[in-house]
Amino acid sequence: MSTPVADRKQRQPTKRRRSVKRNLTAYGFLCGALICFAFFSWYPMVWEVILSFQQTNFVDPPVWVGLENFRTVFNDPAFAPAWINTALFTLLALLCGYAIPFVIALVLNELRHARAYLRFIVYLPVMLPPAVGVLLFQWFYDPDYGLFNQILGFFSLPGLQWLNSTSTALISLVIVSTWMNLGSGTLIYLAALQTIPSELYEAAELDGAGLFKRIRHVTIPQTKLILLVMLMLQIVATMQVFIEPYLLTGGGPEDATISVVYLMYQYAFNFGNLNAGNALGLMLMIVLMTFSAIYLRLSRDNTV
């Protein structure tokens, strides 16, 4: 006949084995994630840094050239326009792509009917492959048969050379980018809005707060964390704009839409100078890392 002490001694190894097994499973998943990050993210980044200081054709032994690749990129006439266009695109995309989804989410959150259908309509562009969405806008922007010029003609307004004019080409790309990313941003904001307790809005209404005061004093403070995260993601993503200039304008007209990543692509695959492309990529990575570090420092100070 077993005693309670003996039973307890028998259960302890079993409990310990379960604990070890559970931790081993967790460490296994963690190792898998680390291996994926190391192979697909960190390893290319390390190689990018190394190749940016070398000259190689992947056949002959690489030659260490120091800062020569950086001088090549600096002396390129398209270097300054690429950074200016990227900064302008980021600023415009931030104004449109950051504010418009938040406003649409506020409207959807206030609706009581047909909310699910409207969510589907807003999210629909995200379901399209990016290349399909971009090519769809290529037809919209056609100066002869495009939808936008037909709309302008309906109101007796002159048509525009959307992608062929230096004054409208960049903003045309911003419109495409905003449309393609509208759905995901709206749903994230909407999910954040629905976590706000209704009691806060009821208390604000009892205090006589109107719509804008409720947004200012209840909605924005309650969604501050999501807004800050989306701000960082928006800037990091738009600084890497590529598919819109690649498919719609090819960087033109007159380098009006050339971006840093598109110039990087040209060095790597059109000019046959992969090392200069890596040097440019390293510059962009340093800029984004500096911005991310500043963001994390400021957001940490605000949350303390």
Side-chain angles (χ1 to χ4, degrees):
M1 182 176 178
S2 61
T3 63
V5 176
D7 290 342
R8 196 180 304 118
K9 288 183 177 178
Q10 283 182 344
R11 284 197 297 271
Q12 283 180 349
T14 303
K15 187 177 179 181
R16 193 177 299 118
R17 278 197 298 270
R18 288 179 180 171
S19 176
V20 170
K21 185 178 179 181
R22 184 169 59 249
N23 290 333
L24 281 177
T25 304
Y27 285 124
F29 281 115
L30 180 61
C31 288
L34 288 175
I35 290 171
C36 287
F37 269 110
F39 188 76
F40 293 107
S41 296
W42 300 332
Y43 175 73
M45 288 169 64
V46 172
W47 259 111
E48 180 184 43
V49 174
I50 294 173
L51 289 174
S52 62
F53 293 97
Q54 291 181 341
Q55 196 66 46
T56 178
N57 55 10
F58 297 103
V59 177
D60 300 322
V63 178
W64 187 266
V65 295
L67 299 176
E68 183 60 32
N69 293 319
F70 294 90
R71 293 192 193 96
T72 302
V73 173
F74 271 121
N75 294 328
D76 190 332
F79 178 78
W83 281 99
I84 293 172
N85 292 336
T86 300
L88 281 175
F89 183 90
T90 302
L91 178 63
L92 294 172
L94 194 63
L95 292 175
C96 300
Y98 190 64
I100 293 177
F102 187 66
V103 172
I104 293 177
L106 287 173
V107 173
L108 289 177
N109 195 46
E110 294 296 325
L111 292 178
R112 295 293 178 265
H113 303 285
R115 185 187 293 179
Y117 298 105
L118 292 173
R119 282 182 195 167
F120 173 76
I121 292 173
V122 171
Y123 194 71
L124 187 60
V126 182
M127 299 180 189
L128 290 176
V132 174
V134 171
L135 294 177
L136 179 66
F137 269 81
Q138 192 175 35
W139 173 71
F140 288 167
Y141 286 138
D142 188 283
D144 298 322
Y145 312 104
L147 176 65
F148 291 159
N149 276 355
Q150 290 183 22
I151 294 174
L152 292 175
F154 180 79
F155 292 102
S156 301
L157 295 173
L160 298 175
Q161 297 291 325
W162 294 93
L163 299 174
N164 301 324
S165 170
T166 55
S167 58
T168 57
L170 190 63
I171 190 65
S172 299
L173 301 190
V174 173
I175 293 172
V176 178
S177 176
T178 302
W179 181 81
M180 289 199 302
N181 298 303
L182 184 67
S184 54
T186 302
L187 287 190
I188 292 173
Y189 290 136
L190 190 59
L193 291 174
Q194 293 180 348
T195 62
I196 301 175
S198 59
E199 292 81 4
L200 295 177
Y201 287 111
E202 293 171 0
E205 288 178 358
L206 289 175
D207 290 338
L211 175 62
F212 293 106
K213 284 190 176 180
R214 292 203 301 273
I215 293 174
R216 179 183 174 189
H217 296 291
V218 178
T219 303
I220 292 178
Q222 291 293 319
T223 57
K224 182 179 177 182
L225 181 60
I226 293 295
L227 291 173
L228 290 174
V229 171
M230 290 295 289
L231 175 67
M232 186 188 73
L233 294 179
Q234 177 91 18
I235 292 176
V236 171
T238 51
M239 286 284 289
Q240 302 177 62
V241 56
F242 170 72
I243 189 169
E244 291 89 349
Y246 175 70
L247 290 178
L248 287 177
T249 62
E254 300 176 8
D255 288 342
T257 59
I258 192 169
S259 67
V260 174
V261 177
Y262 184 74
L263 183 60
M264 194 190 315
Y265 166 83
Q266 284 190 315
Y267 270 108
F269 299 103
N270 291 343
F271 304 156
N273 193 345
L274 183 64
N275 301 96
N278 279 293
L280 191 57
L282 180 59
M283 294 180 199
L284 182 62
M285 186 172 72
I286 292 173
V287 171
L288 292 179
M289 288 177 67
T290 304
F291 163 75
S292 300
I294 294 172
Y295 163 82
L296 291 174
R297 178 61 184 272
L298 294 177
S299 60
R300 185 180 62 183
D301 292 343
N302 288 331
T303 53
V304 169

Short mmCIF file of all heavy atoms in Angstrom, two decimals, residues 96-97 99-102 104 121-123 125-126 176-189:
data_model
loop_
_atom_site.label_atom_id
_atom_site.label_comp_id
_atom_site.label_asym_id
_atom_site.label_seq_id
_atom_site.Cartn_x
_atom_site.Cartn_y
_atom_site.Cartn_z
N CYS A 96 -1.66 61.46 -46.56
CA CYS A 96 -2.86 60.80 -47.11
C CYS A 96 -3.07 59.43 -46.48
O CYS A 96 -4.16 59.12 -45.99
CB CYS A 96 -2.72 60.64 -48.63
SG CYS A 96 -2.53 62.20 -49.51
N GLY A 97 -2.05 58.61 -46.49
CA GLY A 97 -2.21 57.22 -46.06
C GLY A 97 -2.29 57.04 -44.56
O GLY A 97 -2.64 55.95 -44.10
N ALA A 99 -3.83 59.64 -42.44
CA ALA A 99 -5.03 60.32 -41.95
C ALA A 99 -6.31 59.71 -42.53
O ALA A 99 -7.30 59.50 -41.81
CB ALA A 99 -4.96 61.81 -42.30
N ILE A 100 -6.31 59.42 -43.84
CA ILE A 100 -7.55 58.95 -44.48
C ILE A 100 -8.04 57.62 -43.87
O ILE A 100 -9.24 57.50 -43.55
CB ILE A 100 -7.34 58.82 -46.00
CG1 ILE A 100 -7.14 60.22 -46.60
CG2 ILE A 100 -8.52 58.13 -46.66
CD1 ILE A 100 -6.84 60.21 -48.09
N PRO A 101 -7.21 56.59 -43.68
CA PRO A 101 -7.72 55.37 -43.05
C PRO A 101 -8.26 55.60 -41.65
O PRO A 101 -9.25 54.97 -41.25
CB PRO A 101 -6.48 54.45 -43.02
CG PRO A 101 -5.62 54.94 -44.10
CD PRO A 101 -5.82 56.42 -44.14
N PHE A 102 -7.65 56.52 -40.90
CA PHE A 102 -8.14 56.79 -39.54
C PHE A 102 -9.52 57.45 -39.59
O PHE A 102 -10.41 57.09 -38.81
CB PHE A 102 -7.15 57.69 -38.81
CG PHE A 102 -7.48 57.90 -37.36
CD1 PHE A 102 -7.42 56.84 -36.47
CD2 PHE A 102 -7.85 59.15 -36.90
CE1 PHE A 102 -7.73 57.03 -35.13
CE2 PHE A 102 -8.16 59.35 -35.56
CZ PHE A 102 -8.10 58.28 -34.67
N ILE A 104 -11.73 57.14 -42.06
CA ILE A 104 -12.68 56.12 -42.51
C ILE A 104 -13.02 55.16 -41.36
O ILE A 104 -14.18 54.76 -41.18
CB ILE A 104 -12.10 55.35 -43.71
CG1 ILE A 104 -11.99 56.28 -44.92
CG2 ILE A 104 -12.97 54.15 -44.06
CD1 ILE A 104 -11.37 55.65 -46.13
N ILE A 121 -15.73 46.29 -48.58
CA ILE A 121 -15.41 47.19 -49.70
C ILE A 121 -14.09 47.91 -49.45
O ILE A 121 -13.25 48.05 -50.35
CB ILE A 121 -16.56 48.20 -49.92
CG1 ILE A 121 -17.80 47.46 -50.42
CG2 ILE A 121 -16.15 49.29 -50.90
CD1 ILE A 121 -19.04 48.33 -50.49
N VAL A 122 -13.89 48.38 -48.22
CA VAL A 122 -12.65 49.09 -47.89
C VAL A 122 -11.46 48.16 -47.97
O VAL A 122 -10.38 48.54 -48.43
CB VAL A 122 -12.77 49.72 -46.49
CG1 VAL A 122 -11.44 50.27 -46.04
CG2 VAL A 122 -13.81 50.84 -46.50
N TYR A 123 -11.65 46.90 -47.55
CA TYR A 123 -10.53 45.95 -47.51
C TYR A 123 -10.26 45.31 -48.88
O TYR A 123 -9.21 44.71 -49.08
CB TYR A 123 -10.81 44.86 -46.49
CG TYR A 123 -9.59 44.04 -46.14
CD1 TYR A 123 -8.55 44.59 -45.40
CD2 TYR A 123 -9.47 42.72 -46.57
CE1 TYR A 123 -7.43 43.85 -45.09
CE2 TYR A 123 -8.35 41.97 -46.26
CZ TYR A 123 -7.33 42.54 -45.52
OH TYR A 123 -6.22 41.82 -45.22
N PRO A 125 -9.25 46.31 -51.87
CA PRO A 125 -7.97 46.54 -52.59
C PRO A 125 -6.80 45.74 -52.05
O PRO A 125 -5.89 45.40 -52.80
CB PRO A 125 -7.72 48.05 -52.40
CG PRO A 125 -9.06 48.63 -52.13
CD PRO A 125 -9.81 47.57 -51.38
N VAL A 126 -6.83 45.40 -50.75
CA VAL A 126 -5.73 44.63 -50.17
C VAL A 126 -5.70 43.22 -50.75
O VAL A 126 -4.64 42.58 -50.83
CB VAL A 126 -5.86 44.59 -48.64
CG1 VAL A 126 -4.70 43.84 -48.00
CG2 VAL A 126 -5.94 46.01 -48.08
N VAL A 176 -1.96 55.96 -55.74
CA VAL A 176 -1.96 54.50 -55.90
C VAL A 176 -1.58 53.82 -54.59
O VAL A 176 -2.24 52.88 -54.13
CB VAL A 176 -0.98 54.09 -57.01
CG1 VAL A 176 -0.95 52.57 -57.15
CG2 VAL A 176 -1.37 54.72 -58.33
N SER A 177 -0.52 54.28 -53.97
CA SER A 177 -0.05 53.68 -52.72
C SER A 177 -1.11 53.79 -51.62
O SER A 177 -1.35 52.84 -50.88
CB SER A 177 1.25 54.36 -52.28
OG SER A 177 1.68 53.86 -51.04
N THR A 178 -1.74 54.96 -51.53
CA THR A 178 -2.77 55.15 -50.51
C THR A 178 -3.94 54.21 -50.74
O THR A 178 -4.45 53.59 -49.79
CB THR A 178 -3.27 56.61 -50.54
OG1 THR A 178 -2.17 57.48 -50.33
CG2 THR A 178 -4.31 56.85 -49.47
N TRP A 179 -4.36 54.06 -51.99
CA TRP A 179 -5.49 53.17 -52.30
C TRP A 179 -5.16 51.72 -51.96
O TRP A 179 -5.99 51.00 -51.40
CB TRP A 179 -5.84 53.32 -53.78
CG TRP A 179 -7.00 52.47 -54.20
CD1 TRP A 179 -8.33 52.74 -54.03
CD2 TRP A 179 -6.93 51.21 -54.86
NE1 TRP A 179 -9.08 51.71 -54.54
CE2 TRP A 179 -8.25 50.77 -55.06
CE3 TRP A 179 -5.87 50.41 -55.31
CZ2 TRP A 179 -8.54 49.56 -55.69
CZ3 TRP A 179 -6.16 49.21 -55.93
CH2 TRP A 179 -7.48 48.80 -56.11
N MET A 180 -3.94 51.29 -52.27
CA MET A 180 -3.60 49.88 -52.06
C MET A 180 -3.48 49.54 -50.57
O MET A 180 -3.71 48.41 -50.18
CB MET A 180 -2.28 49.56 -52.78
CG MET A 180 -2.41 49.51 -54.28
SD MET A 180 -1.05 48.62 -55.06
CE MET A 180 0.35 49.55 -54.47
N ASN A 181 -3.08 50.51 -49.76
CA ASN A 181 -2.87 50.23 -48.33
C ASN A 181 -4.01 50.72 -47.45
O ASN A 181 -3.91 50.66 -46.23
CB ASN A 181 -1.56 50.89 -47.87
CG ASN A 181 -0.36 50.33 -48.62
OD1 ASN A 181 -0.13 49.13 -48.60
ND2 ASN A 181 0.37 51.19 -49.30
N LEU A 182 -5.06 51.21 -48.09
CA LEU A 182 -6.16 51.80 -47.32
C LEU A 182 -6.85 50.77 -46.43
O LEU A 182 -7.15 51.04 -45.26
CB LEU A 182 -7.16 52.42 -48.30
CG LEU A 182 -8.34 53.17 -47.68
CD1 LEU A 182 -7.85 54.43 -46.99
CD2 LEU A 182 -9.36 53.53 -48.77
N GLY A 183 -7.11 49.59 -46.97
CA GLY A 183 -7.90 48.58 -46.26
C GLY A 183 -7.25 48.10 -44.99
O GLY A 183 -7.89 48.07 -43.92
N SER A 184 -5.97 47.73 -45.06
CA SER A 184 -5.31 47.18 -43.87
C SER A 184 -5.20 48.23 -42.77
O SER A 184 -5.46 47.94 -41.59
CB SER A 184 -3.93 46.64 -44.24
OG SER A 184 -3.18 47.64 -44.89
N GLY A 185 -4.87 49.46 -43.15
CA GLY A 185 -4.78 50.52 -42.15
C GLY A 185 -6.12 50.80 -41.49
O GLY A 185 -6.21 50.97 -40.26
N THR A 186 -7.18 50.81 -42.30
CA THR A 186 -8.51 51.09 -41.75
C THR A 186 -8.93 50.01 -40.77
O THR A 186 -9.48 50.31 -39.69
CB THR A 186 -9.54 51.18 -42.90
OG1 THR A 186 -9.14 52.20 -43.80
CG2 THR A 186 -10.91 51.47 -42.37
N LEU A 187 -8.70 48.74 -41.12
CA LEU A 187 -9.11 47.66 -40.22
C LEU A 187 -8.33 47.68 -38.91
O LEU A 187 -8.87 47.38 -37.85
CB LEU A 187 -8.93 46.32 -40.91
CG LEU A 187 -9.94 46.00 -42.02
CD1 LEU A 187 -9.81 44.56 -42.46
CD2 LEU A 187 -11.37 46.26 -41.57
N ILE A 188 -7.05 48.02 -38.97
CA ILE A 188 -6.26 48.10 -37.73
C ILE A 188 -6.76 49.23 -36.84
O ILE A 188 -6.95 49.06 -35.63
CB ILE A 188 -4.77 48.30 -38.07
CG1 ILE A 188 -4.21 47.04 -38.75
CG2 ILE A 188 -3.96 48.63 -36.82
CD1 ILE A 188 -2.81 47.20 -39.27
N TYR A 189 -7.04 50.39 -37.44
CA TYR A 189 -7.59 51.50 -36.66
C TYR A 189 -8.97 51.13 -36.09
O TYR A 189 -9.30 51.45 -34.95
CB TYR A 189 -7.72 52.75 -37.52
CG TYR A 189 -6.41 53.37 -37.89
CD1 TYR A 189 -6.17 53.81 -39.19
CD2 TYR A 189 -5.41 53.55 -36.96
CE1 TYR A 189 -4.97 54.39 -39.54
CE2 TYR A 189 -4.21 54.12 -37.30
CZ TYR A 189 -3.99 54.55 -38.60
OH TYR A 189 -2.80 55.11 -38.94
#
